[in-house]
Structure formats: C-alpha cells, structure tokens
Amino acid sequence: MHLLPAVTSKVTGLSVACLGISSMLLTGCQSVQATTKPITAKPVATGMTNPMVNTQTATASSTTSPEQAAASTLPSAQFTINGKIGMTTPQQAGSAFYIWTQQGQNFAIEIAGAMNAGQTKISYNGQSATLTNEKGTINAATPEELLLRATGWQAPISQLPYWIQGQPAPSDANDKKDSTNRLVSAQNGDWTATFSYSNSNNKLPSRLTASHPDGYKVVMTINRLS
C-alpha cells in the first residue's frame, strides 16, 4: 500500500481522494516507521526510509523509472473524483477525505483529516511528485517514493489511475473480469486489488480495495464528479 499535461489544481472542498492509501491517505502520518520487510509492487518504490522533514528533495535518476514509464502509457485519462480513503498498516489505521483530479499522466490529490495532520496536497507531473502540508514540502521522483519518505508506507499509487477507471495497469498480472467485462480483481506484485460496482449497469468501480499479505490495506470509495 499501506498512486501522470498540467493539472489544474483548482481543488477545494472535500467530499471522499486517496489510493490511499494518495495516493492516500496517506500523508501526514510521519509517526509511522517503515517496516523491515520491503513491500514489493510493480513498479517497486525506492527503499528510502527517512522520515519527512520540512524540505527534502530526491535526486531523480537520469533514466526513466518504471513508475514514470507506466505513467507515460496512461490513456487520455481525465477525471475528477472524491470520496474517502482508508489505510491500515501493522502499526495503525486511519482515514481521510480526498479529491483527486487527473489529466493525462498528471494528477493532484488534496487530502484532509489524515491522522489529524491537516490538509495535505500531493501532485505528480509525470516527472516528479510533490507533497505539501503544514509541516513543509517534500519532493521525490515517484509517488511511491514520496509516500515512503513521508510516512514510511508503500502503496501501489502508480496503478491507481488505471484501477479508478476500471482498467488493469500495464504491470498487473492475473486480472479477472466478470461476465460483463468489468474488472473484478488484479494482481500487482504482492498487492491484490478488488473492485466493487454500485449496480449491474455501472462500468466504473465505486470502491476499490488493495491489500498486501504483510497486513497493509488501502480502501477507496469513489464518487465521480467528472
């Protein structure tokens, strides 16, 4: 867990965001320590375990990372959703309301209520990810690395834009669909994602759950605004 042209980050107010488990959820949980056993997903986040400080900048690789490669293959995704995202780790659990705006490979997530950490903003422009809250700003090459540095958690953030649209991510394996060709489950590394739909006519999921055998889980409810 326990993620993409310019985002018009004109996002205010709260209604569910986010994956979570973020994206997810995610942020502002600086008290959580990284587990000794790394959690693997495709793509795999860089194993950085430093806690968040007011300002940090990750050195971007000169080559395209798997996460960036995955983001570059996104279809012309454009949506705005909101809802509630919950994250469970072996140490604790928490939830937050989010609003997520996606334009192509770029996204912006605003989260409120995550572990009483105040409002947090996560953005990704296909090249780097940024998290900003009342404690400061942190930058990283990928959303997964950003989450790990800020909270000590890992989550399949790069897969979320696909999953939110009811599509398997390029690095998924063993995805399964129902009789109406809707995605019902997907495997990504050690992560398993399952999808629920509000009724038999809806082609887009209203809820997704990503779980990891080490006790991590991300649950997102999804309300579609556009």
Side-chain angles (χ1 to χ4, degrees):
M1 211 45 23
H2 291 150
L3 87 99
L4 309 180
V7 178
T8 57
S9 181
K10 190 178 180 181
V11 183
T12 60
L14 299 167
S15 320
V16 196
C18 151
L19 229 14
I21 230 18
S22 178
S23 252
M24 141 225 205
L25 183 250
L26 300 188
T27 63
C29 306
Q30 293 80 0
S31 61
V32 180
Q33 300 299 316
T35 57
T36 57
K37 180 180 178 182
I39 298 172
T40 59
K42 297 178 182 179
V44 180
T46 303
M48 303 177 67
T49 57
N50 292 336
M52 178 179 176
V53 297
N54 284 353
T55 302
Q56 296 181 357
T57 302
T59 302
S61 170
S62 59
T63 60
T64 301
S65 70
E67 292 91 340
Q68 292 166 330
S72 68
T73 65
L74 270 172
S76 307
Q78 185 167 337
F79 58 79
T80 301
I81 61 172
N82 66 12
K84 192 172 186 178
I85 185 165
M87 159 97 57
T88 301
T89 77
Q91 293 81 22
Q92 67 182 80
S95 63
F97 293 99
Y98 75 89
I99 182 164
W100 179 317
T101 300
Q102 182 91 25
Q103 291 187 351
Q105 65 183 357
N106 300 352
F107 66 73
I109 309 166
E110 291 200 10
I111 303 169
M115 307 298 187
N116 298 316
Q119 190 163 4
T120 297
K121 180 177 180 179
I122 301 171
S123 60
Y124 181 65
N125 63 7
Q127 300 297 322
S128 62
T130 301
L131 180 152
T132 303
N133 64 14
E134 60 187 13
K135 294 182 178 296
T137 298
I138 180 171
N139 300 307
T142 67
E144 285 82 0
E145 181 182 325
L146 183 71
L147 179 64
L148 184 66
R149 294 182 65 180
T151 68
W153 300 344
Q154 292 187 21
I157 302 174
S158 293
Q159 283 68 44
L160 288 177
Y162 297 93
W163 292 348
I164 287 168
Q165 298 179 94
Q167 302 174 12
S171 56
D172 285 356
N174 302 321
D175 56 282
K176 297 180 181 179
K177 297 182 179 181
D178 64 13
S179 59
T180 62
N181 204 38
R182 298 183 304 187
L183 186 65
V184 294
S185 67
Q187 190 80 27
N188 197 284
D190 289 331
W191 289 95
T192 300
T194 58
F195 305 84
S196 300
Y197 299 82
S198 59
N199 60 58
S200 59
N201 296 321
N202 282 357
K203 300 300 182 182
L204 299 175
S206 57
R207 179 186 177 96
L208 71 83
T209 301
S211 57
H212 191 280
D214 285 346
Y216 289 77
K217 179 183 288 188
V218 177
V219 179
M220 290 179 65
T221 61
I222 303 169
N223 303 311
R224 301 189 183 271
L225 306 180
S226 68

